[in-house]
Amino acid sequence: MATIAASAAAPLERQPTDWASPEMQGRIAARYRAERNFRRLGAGALMVAAGFLAFLLFTIVRDGWTGFLRTEARVEVMFDAATLGVDSAALRGPGAQAVLARADYVALMDKAALQLGPASDMLSDAAWLALRDRLVADPTLIGRTETLWVPVRSSIDLLAKGKYDLDAPADSRGVTDREVSDWRWLDSQGRLRTVFNQAFIGNADSTEPELAGIGGAALGSLFTLFVTIAIAFPLGVFSAAWLEEFAPRGRLADIIELSINNLAAVPSIIFGLLGLAFFLNYAGLPRSSPLVGGITLALMIMPVIVIAARVAIQAVPPSIRDAALGIGASPIQVVFQHVVPLALPGIMTGTIIGISRALGETAPLLLIGMRAFVTDTPQGLTAPATVLPMQVFLWSDDVQRGFVEKTSAAIMVLLFILILMNSVAIYLRNRFERRW
């Protein structure tokens, strides 16, 4: 028994590892092999993800770059007062602009289109707007002939851009033989040109693809984000500062912190339901307005800003607070004159990322009516409007083939804005972030 007890109490001597043994060499080789396989799997996953991303971007750019171009036809227009239905003498008076606003530009356009022969109906239904804009800009054109370039129909525009497979059967290529013949005749006469599509940048939505633009949706997005930032940023920063610096530690602070973390993971459509139930049905705010959209998106991204701001405030060393308090600063002065300015780069980074998320949202805006067909640019925060993601959604659901390139072109603009905003966030972080 004594021998057994003595042997149990004696420490076990560790034998030296024989690194040259076949067993150990096999284990080392297996470890290196597993590491190489893991690296290969990681590189393969990155290549697959990059391949899908490249394919997506290639498809969008391939289909959308032509959306920034527009095909126009050349016509010679005789600005005849009789055809316009106006009195030449009235155009010399003080009410000339009002007279021109009531002129019959459609009749003038129909008369000018006759010179195109069988292709006279290949001009856009809204081609008369070019005549109106030209005459309003220069009323002295009455009685004179002017050469103008006016937009053509979407089918002719797509033919000029090579969007149809003319070798396919007539019943499956999406364009009639007559349209192909008229396009070839116009092109042979030198009456067609393809130029930068200013209407796509400046116009609002339209039922005609050749006239539809993102100007109204872009302005609606700008108004909506203005309201979002004006509400979410100050409230988010103040909330984060209170939670980190002033809130007493206890059950209330724990409940608030838990609620904020949960709200950051709530599906965005829930905030749309809140906007519909409270801001529209109860508060009576205008439907489909940037005001309601901005408030709804502000509620959605505010938890993200609070979390980012709290992390940035926590990163400020306690010595900054102690030094400020030591020279007589009040707690509020410590927070808003020392801590928050030092945490501002991190706060701005989180805010920009949250705004980028808000810019791409559609689900909450669907419920508050911002999918409306708006043919004019919004004139204020309470005017009917839509936003860029919603414009993409509406165009993608349209059956006209001309909206395919418009959809991809709008996605390109939206991606450019998102990349720009995220680049600004990265720049702010790298430029102003301090490492303690």
Side-chain angles (χ1 to χ4, degrees):
M1 294 293 295
T3 305
I4 296 176
S7 61
L12 297 177
E13 293 185 3
R14 182 176 180 180
Q15 299 298 324
T17 303
D18 186 5
W19 298 101
S21 65
E23 180 183 0
M24 185 57 66
Q25 289 297 318
R27 293 172 62 183
I28 294 175
R31 183 184 303 172
Y32 285 148
R33 186 166 54 252
E35 184 177 353
R36 287 194 300 269
N37 291 336
F38 181 78
R39 290 181 177 181
R40 290 167 183 165
L41 287 174
L46 289 176
M47 292 180 62
V48 171
F52 279 113
L53 178 60
F55 176 76
L56 173 64
L57 293 178
F58 170 77
T59 304
I60 293 174
V61 173
R62 181 198 62 189
D63 296 337
W65 74 272
T66 53
F68 296 95
L69 303 176
R70 182 172 78 169
T71 304
E72 298 176 340
R74 188 186 77 245
V75 292
E76 287 73 32
V77 182
M78 171 61 183
F79 288 93
D80 181 40
T83 306
L84 288 169
V86 299
D87 186 2
S88 300
L91 294 175
R92 294 188 290 270
Q97 294 296 329
V99 173
L100 290 177
R102 298 191 301 268
D104 190 358
Y105 296 100
V106 177
L108 184 64
M109 187 71 258
D110 291 341
K111 182 178 179 180
L114 294 177
Q115 63 192 268
L116 300 181
S120 59
D121 59 345
M122 291 296 107
L123 299 180
S124 172
D125 291 337
W128 61 272
L129 293 173
L131 278 60
R132 183 198 63 182
D133 296 341
R134 185 70 182 92
L135 186 58
V136 169
D138 186 8
T140 61
L141 288 175
I142 293 293
R144 292 163 47 190
T145 300
E146 181 86 357
T147 299
L148 296 178
W149 292 89
V150 298
V152 297
R153 289 187 180 274
S154 177
S155 58
I156 302 299
D157 179 52
L158 295 177
L159 280 168
K161 296 174 181 177
K163 293 294 185 178
Y164 292 110
D165 182 10
L166 299 183
D167 295 330
D171 57 350
S172 62
R173 65 189 177 196
V175 63
T176 64
D177 290 336
R178 187 201 167 193
E179 289 172 328
V180 174
S181 176
D182 290 341
W183 163 66
R184 285 173 173 165
W185 184 84
L186 290 171
D187 189 47
S188 64
Q189 296 297 313
R191 288 188 173 273
L192 292 180
R193 72 173 186 180
T194 301
V195 296
F196 178 73
N197 191 359
Q198 296 182 358
F200 178 74
I201 302 299
N203 287 2
D205 198 7
S206 173
T207 56
E208 304 296 332
E210 66 271 12
L211 300 177
I214 61 171
L219 192 57
S221 293
L222 182 63
F223 286 159
T224 303
L225 289 182
F226 171 77
V227 176
T228 302
I229 297 171
I231 296 175
F233 181 72
L235 291 181
V237 174
F238 289 150
S239 299
W242 182 81
L243 286 172
E244 284 299 317
E245 303 294 335
F246 300 106
R249 298 307 170 196
R251 184 177 298 274
L252 178 61
D254 293 339
I255 293 175
I256 294 175
E257 183 175 354
L258 179 62
S259 300
I260 291 174
N261 293 332
N262 289 333
L263 285 174
V266 169
S268 59
I269 197 169
I270 302 300
F271 293 96
L273 291 172
L274 174 63
L276 175 64
F278 184 79
F279 300 123
L280 295 183
N281 296 340
Y282 181 77
L285 295 179
R287 182 180 295 270
S288 187
S289 65
L291 178 62
V292 178
I295 297 174
T296 304
L297 294 180
L299 295 177
M300 185 190 72
I301 70 170
M302 193 181 304
V304 178
I305 296 178
V306 172
I307 294 173
R310 291 188 64 186
V311 172
I313 291 174
Q314 290 172 0
V316 178
S319 58
I320 301 294
R321 300 170 177 82
D322 297 338
L325 290 171
I327 61 175
S330 66
I332 292 181
Q333 289 176 326
V334 171
V335 173
F336 292 103
Q337 294 182 11
H338 298 277
V339 176
V340 171
L342 292 174
L344 194 58
I347 295 174
M348 292 298 299
T349 300
T351 301
I352 294 175
I353 292 175
I355 294 172
S356 299
R357 176 191 172 190
L359 180 62
E361 283 292 342
T362 57
L365 302 181
L366 277 171
L367 295 176
I368 63 173
M370 293 195 76
R371 63 161 296 167
F373 176 69
V374 182
T375 59
D376 195 10
T377 55
Q379 303 301 315
L381 298 179
T382 58
T386 187
V387 292
L388 274 174
M390 196 62 62
Q391 191 70 79
V392 171
F393 171 77
L394 292 174
W395 283 348
S396 66
D397 199 40
D398 200 290
V399 297
Q400 298 187 65
R401 186 165 181 174
F403 282 109
V404 173
E405 64 174 9
K406 302 294 182 184
T407 302
S408 298
I411 293 175
M412 291 173 61
V413 174
L414 185 58
L415 286 176
F416 173 77
I417 296 175
L418 291 175
I419 292 174
L420 181 63
M421 294 179 66
N422 283 277
S423 300
V424 170
I426 295 173
Y427 170 78
L428 290 175
R429 182 188 64 194
N430 296 336
R431 176 66 176 82
F432 297 105
E433 186 178 24
R434 297 189 180 186
R435 300 188 181 275
W436 308 100

